[in-house]
Amino acid sequence: MSDTSLDASLDASLDAYPHPFPHPFDRDGFESRIRSLGDRDAYRFPEGAVPAEFKRSSVLILFWQHAADLRVLFTKRAATLRGHPGQMSFPGGRLEPGEDWVAAALRETEEEVGLSSDRIEVLGRLDDAWSGAGHLLVPVVGWLQEEPTCRLNLAEVESVHMPSVSGFFEPEAYTCEEADLGGDIYYNSTLHWEGGSVFGLSTDLLIEAIQWGIGIEDAHGPGRLDSLASYLRYKKAEATSIE
């Protein structure tokens, strides 16, 4: 394929899937807005919308200042894990008895990367989310006052990645592709940085957090609820066809 057709393909892709961060990155403005997250009424799925067997889980999206930029923490899951080995994700996991969403996210972060909860300022939460692995998930957003020093639990985490937030605003940092599931179209977004990339649910959560930080306050929860209903219909039809 010629360079010209490569450029044309890129232009078509950018037109079809607009970049989620259309505003310029401003570190101080981002921090000010993300700190208002606690005042937001996050979207919660209606009672009964999520199957009872879905596990209750939470993750921590953790930001901190780095020079004139911000960084965010990702973990690369250990290759030996049964679920999603080798994938990029946020630290997190299932709630234990008596825990709330925040407590679980902080505990899992300390267990996975050794960051004590007393170093983390909890700013608020994003809209309810779900995963095809059978999780009702609440994303918690946190802030560090200093660069993190991580101590990895190698049974769970292969490595940590700390990409710059401003880098995600570059046109080439965002790609998106369509997937057909039972006649319904799903959009799988990917964010790229030097040395890594993240796709799927984690990308959706990060997009929501960054959009809030740049003043785009659109709710992501209703769309997630629609996609959950579509997914459950697909799984029901799939099970029926097997019987």
Side-chain angles (χ1 to χ4, degrees):
M1 187 179 290
S2 68
D3 290 342
T4 302
S5 57
L6 279 171
D7 292 342
S9 296
L10 176 59
D11 290 342
S13 175
L14 293 176
D15 290 340
Y17 307 110
H19 199 288
F21 313 134
H23 306 330
F25 175 73
D26 170 57
R27 189 199 70 179
D28 293 336
F30 184 101
E31 180 177 351
S32 176
R33 282 186 288 270
I34 204 74
R35 286 186 173 279
S36 70
L37 195 61
D39 300 327
R40 176 196 189 205
D41 186 16
Y43 182 88
R44 291 164 171 80
F45 292 152
E47 186 175 351
V50 179
E53 66 269 19
F54 271 39
K55 307 169 188 70
R56 273 48 183 169
S57 304
S58 61
V59 298
L60 182 67
I61 305 173
L62 194 57
F63 296 102
W64 64 93
Q65 289 187 6
H66 179 83
D69 207 338
L70 294 175
R71 300 271 182 172
V72 63
L73 179 71
F74 282 104
T75 63
K76 184 175 182 180
R77 294 170 61 83
T80 53
L81 289 176
R82 183 172 57 184
H84 307 294
Q87 288 188 10
M88 292 289 181
S89 63
F90 295 112
R94 281 194 257 176
L95 275 65
E96 292 186 349
E99 280 188 325
D100 60 19
W101 309 107
V102 172
L106 294 174
R107 173 184 53 76
E108 288 282 349
T109 299
E110 185 163 7
E111 290 177 2
E112 292 180 21
V113 298
L115 290 177
S116 174
S117 60
D118 59 14
R119 296 180 56 197
I120 298 169
E121 179 185 359
V122 175
L123 303 182
R125 53 156 293 176
L126 304 178
D127 291 348
D128 279 357
W130 64 277
S131 81
H135 292 263
L136 166 62
L137 186 142
V138 168
V140 177
V141 178
W143 189 269
L144 281 174
Q145 294 297 337
E146 58 188 7
E147 301 265 348
T149 300
C150 296
R151 185 181 67 257
L152 306 189
N153 176 355
L154 296 177
E156 298 187 39
V157 177
E158 177 181 311
S159 59
V160 293
H161 288 241
M162 304 176 184
S164 70
V165 172
S166 67
F168 294 131
F169 286 67
E170 298 297 327
E172 64 273 14
Y174 175 74
T175 58
C176 184
E177 60 183 9
E178 294 181 4
D180 187 318
L181 190 65
D184 290 326
I185 300 299
Y186 289 76
Y187 298 93
N188 186 16
S189 299
T190 302
L191 288 169
H192 307 264
W193 63 91
E194 185 176 354
S197 63
V198 63
F199 64 91
L201 175 59
S202 295
T203 301
D204 184 42
L205 301 182
L206 182 59
I207 287 174
E208 183 185 0
I210 293 179
Q211 285 185 339
W212 181 267
I214 62 175
I216 300 174
E217 301 179 5
D218 297 342
H220 286 237
R224 291 176 186 153
L225 180 62
D226 289 343
S227 66
L228 172 60
S230 171
Y231 172 78
L232 294 175
R233 287 194 302 270
Y234 169 77
K235 298 299 289 185
K236 183 177 180 180
E238 184 182 53
T240 302
S241 67
I242 294 173
E243 293 175 354

